[in-house]
């Protein structure tokens, strides 16, 4: 893609900066539900319909499991 990224889905759900709003996603990071952070994407043990970047659900940041992870992103120097 235009960001130079590939194979971004299907391994683990990725923690996002925003908190979960059941009414839907927001353009800017949403704050208002500290016990429910957004995780996106599917995992190795989800059904294939969930292995897409638009799939989002909530998870308590105090919980740990093998389905959630994060990616370290490093920008290119300009």
């Amino acid at each position: 893609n235009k960001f130079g990224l590939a194979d971004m889905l299907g391994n683990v759900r990725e923690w996002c900066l925003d908190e979960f709003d059941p009414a839907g996603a927001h353009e800017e990071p949403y704050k208002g539900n500290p016990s429910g952070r957004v995780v996106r994407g599917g995992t190795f043990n989800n059904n294939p319909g969930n292995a897409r970047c638009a799939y989002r659900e909530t998870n308590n940041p105090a919980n740990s499991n093998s389905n959630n992870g994060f990616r370290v992103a490093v920008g290119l120097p300009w």
Side-chain angles (χ1 to χ4, degrees):
N1 63 27
K2 65 182 180 178
F3 300 111
L5 303 173
D7 291 331
M8 294 295 295
L9 300 171
N11 190 18
V12 295
R13 289 182 298 228
E14 296 177 8
W15 287 107
C16 297
L17 180 62
D18 54 333
E19 296 166 354
F20 189 83
D21 182 4
H26 297 264
E27 289 288 324
E28 299 295 322
Y30 172 76
K31 298 297 179 194
N33 182 10
S35 64
R37 293 287 293 269
V38 171
V39 288
R40 286 192 175 268
T43 68
F44 60 94
N45 63 357
N46 276 140
N47 66 51
N50 294 348
R52 56 193 184 95
C53 60
Y55 180 74
R56 59 190 284 278
E57 62 182 57
T58 182
N59 210 315
N60 188 320
N63 294 343
S64 171
N65 62 52
S66 62
N67 293 325
N68 299 334
F70 62 94
R71 292 187 188 272
V72 176
V74 178
L76 297 175
W78 292 99

